[in-house]
Amino acid sequence: MRRAAPWLSWSVWLLAAASLTLVFALFEVHDDTRSATDRIAWILGHLPAFAYVTVGAVVVSRRPGNVIGWLCWGIGLAQILAGFGGRPAQSVLADDPSYGPGWVVLYELGELCWELSWALLAVL
């Protein structure tokens, strides 16, 4: 596990970055009712979650046995994946029926990740 921890931590960091970009592209950019200020506020609002993932990845890659690093990593990832279950995702999925049932499942998983992130934060 010691050799796999850096690869795992930075791979999940890339997953978090890609997920955050995907959520922004799918649910924020295509929303014409949102101003540029709202979009910048959205990005700034998600920086703490990305900071959790980054700190967790750094700690886990250097000290795989450190539980705090794993918790930070999990909290940040769960917060970012919760973006798939937010209010913008709900309105986009309700307005556009071309999104298939897979997106509805992803929305529900996003809702669960929101609860998971708070549970992990309580453990931290």
Side-chain angles (χ1 to χ4, degrees), residues 23 27 81-93 107 110-111 114:
V23 167
F27 305 129
L81 292 178
F84 288 108
R87 194 171 322 178
Q90 183 181 22
S91 65
V92 167
L93 290 174
Y107 169 79
E111 288 287 323
W114 178 253

Side-chain angles (χ1 to χ4, degrees), residues 53-119:
V53 172
T54 304
V55 167
V58 168
V59 171
V60 167
S61 67
R62 294 174 186 251
R63 304 244 185 231
N66 191 326
V67 177
I68 301 296
W70 288 103
L71 285 172
C72 286
W73 184 69
I75 290 167
L77 181 64
Q79 282 282 323
I80 289 172
L81 292 178
F84 288 108
R87 194 171 322 178
Q90 183 181 22
S91 65
V92 167
L93 290 174
D95 291 343
D96 191 2
S98 67
Y99 289 102
W103 285 100
V104 175
V105 170
L106 190 61
Y107 169 79
E108 291 298 327
L109 288 175
E111 288 287 323
L112 288 173
C113 283
W114 178 253
E115 304 298 331
L116 174 66
S117 69
W118 286 103

Side-chain angles (χ1 to χ4, degrees), residues 8-22:
L8 179 65
S9 65
W10 290 111
S11 296
V12 170
W13 184 87
L14 285 173
L15 173 72
S19 297
L20 195 59
T21 304
L22 185 63

Side-chain angles (χ1 to χ4, degrees), residues 13-58:
W13 184 87
L14 285 173
L15 173 72
S19 297
L20 195 59
T21 304
L22 185 63
V23 167
F24 183 75
L26 287 175
F27 305 129
E28 294 297 320
V29 171
H30 293 295
D31 189 2
D32 296 333
T33 62
R34 304 205 28 127
S35 67
T37 307
D38 291 339
R39 290 182 179 134
I40 291 171
W42 185 91
I43 291 171
L44 293 176
H46 283 80
L47 281 180
F50 197 67
Y52 265 100
V53 172
T54 304
V55 167
V58 168

